[in-house]
Every structure is written in structure tokens, then in C-alpha cells.
Amino acid sequence: MSEFEFIFALFGLLLGLSIAEVLGGVARAIETRLQPGSMVRIGWLTPLLGAFVMLDLLSFWQAAWTGRDIVAVSGKSLMAITGFASAYYLAARLVFPRDMSTGLDAHFLRVRRVVIGIMFVLLLCQLGWYASVPRMAVHLARPLPLALTAILMALMIAAMTVRGERWCRLVMLALVGRYVIVYLL
């Protein structure tokens, strides 16, 4: 077993649980909506937040592969990876409410700053780590990754600050769309 495989087992477990949290939330929302007499409206905002978190998780999982030859097993790396992946889990856990009776759009408006804020801090940490490793810093200096990262950061800030459901919906659609476009490039 390589050092990357050893570390990635822990990392993969925590990120996998994060994905399961988002999918579990989707399932609970559908279940609640399908109950006879249910007045719960799923809406767009929380599902879009869930899609964004899932796509961001996949992006980070892919980025971990890029750094596979650099990460070495140490207490410091295990703590950093556990903290990082745990923050992703926390964000994923907050996407869907346990009690769906309050409505999903209202829930989104309550948690969006926390969820997207956690992910924004994780992005800054990731960029800081890339910048500190010369072999990774080269990837940051290219025009396309710079532009895509700037767009991501601007959209994340907008998602945390815009007012009104319509603007939130548009920004969340743009965040999800940005990831879909990046994956198709």
C-alpha cells in the first residue's frame, strides 16, 4: 500500500460519507413530499445547494488525485486531511434539514452562508496548499484555472450575499453550471 492509498482510505471514507449525507437529504425530501397530504414544497434552492456541494466534493476528490505523489503519511497530514474532509461532511450535513416541515427554500436561506462559507474557506485552504507546493503551484498559474477559480470564488461570494429567491436561484444555477462546464471541458 502506498502512502497515498493509506491516506486516501481515510479521506475517501469521510468524503464518501459527505456524498451519502447529500443523497440522504434528497431521499428524505422526496419521501416527505410523497407522503399523502404533504404540503412540503421541495423548490429549487436546497436541491441546487446539494448539487453544488456534490460537484464541489467530486472536484476536490479529483484534485486529491493530482496531489497523490506529494502527500506523505504523517500526523500533520492525517490531521489536516481529517479536518478538511470533516468540514466537507459538516457542510454536506447542513444542506438538507432533518425536519422538512419548515420548507426547503426557507432552510436554504438559513444555512447558505454557513454551507457555502465552509466551502469557501476550504477552497482558500486548498489554494494555499497548492501555492505552497512548487509542483502544484504551476497548475494555478495557468490562465484557464485562474479564470475558473476566480469565477467560482465570485459566484460563491454572490451566493452568500444576494437577496431574494430569484437571485439566489440564478447564482446557484450558475455555480452548478460552472462545475458542469468544467467537467465537460
Side-chain angles (χ1 to χ4, degrees):
M1 176 182 277
S2 72
E3 289 189 70
F4 176 75
E5 290 169 331
F6 178 77
I7 288 176
F8 200 73
L10 172 64
F11 182 70
L13 173 69
L14 289 170
L15 289 187
L17 288 171
S18 301
I19 290 171
E21 271 295 334
V22 174
L23 293 174
V26 171
R28 282 191 316 277
I30 293 170
E31 243 177 15
T32 302
R33 179 67 183 113
L34 294 177
Q35 289 177 354
S38 174
M39 300 301 288
V40 172
R41 209 174 68 77
I42 293 176
W44 283 92
L45 295 173
T46 297
L48 283 169
L49 181 60
F52 170 66
V53 170
M54 290 277 289
L55 290 166
D56 195 75
L57 278 162
L58 293 176
S59 173
F60 188 72
W61 202 311
Q62 186 178 21
W65 180 254
T66 305
R68 70 187 174 278
D69 297 331
I70 298 166
V71 178
V73 175
S74 70
K76 184 178 174 181
S77 65
L78 289 173
M79 284 180 18
I81 286 168
T82 301
F84 200 91
S86 295
Y88 258 122
Y89 179 83
L90 176 61
R93 171 58 193 87
L94 292 172
V95 171
F96 284 88
R98 287 284 183 222
D99 177 15
M100 302 282 178
S101 64
T102 60
L104 295 181
D105 285 349
H107 175 75
F108 169 86
L109 294 172
R110 276 193 310 275
V111 301
R112 69 181 168 140
R113 287 182 182 94
V114 174
V115 172
I116 297 169
I118 289 169
M119 297 175 66
F120 191 82
V121 169
L122 291 175
L123 175 61
L124 293 176
C125 291
Q126 183 181 1
L127 292 173
W129 183 73
Y130 280 174
S132 73
V133 178
R135 287 192 338 199
M136 299 300 285
V138 172
H139 298 289
L140 287 179
R142 295 182 187 147
L144 184 59
L146 277 176
L148 291 172
T149 302
I151 290 168
L152 176 62
M153 293 174 87
L155 287 172
M156 289 174 84
I157 291 168
M160 290 186 286
T161 59
V162 296
R163 297 196 185 276
E165 289 185 24
R166 175 180 284 164
W167 284 108
C168 287
R169 207 173 305 124
L170 287 172
V171 172
M172 292 308 299
L173 278 168
L175 273 169
V176 170
R178 180 224 170 256
Y179 268 117
V180 170
I181 289 167
V182 167
Y183 282 133
L184 294 177
L185 286 180

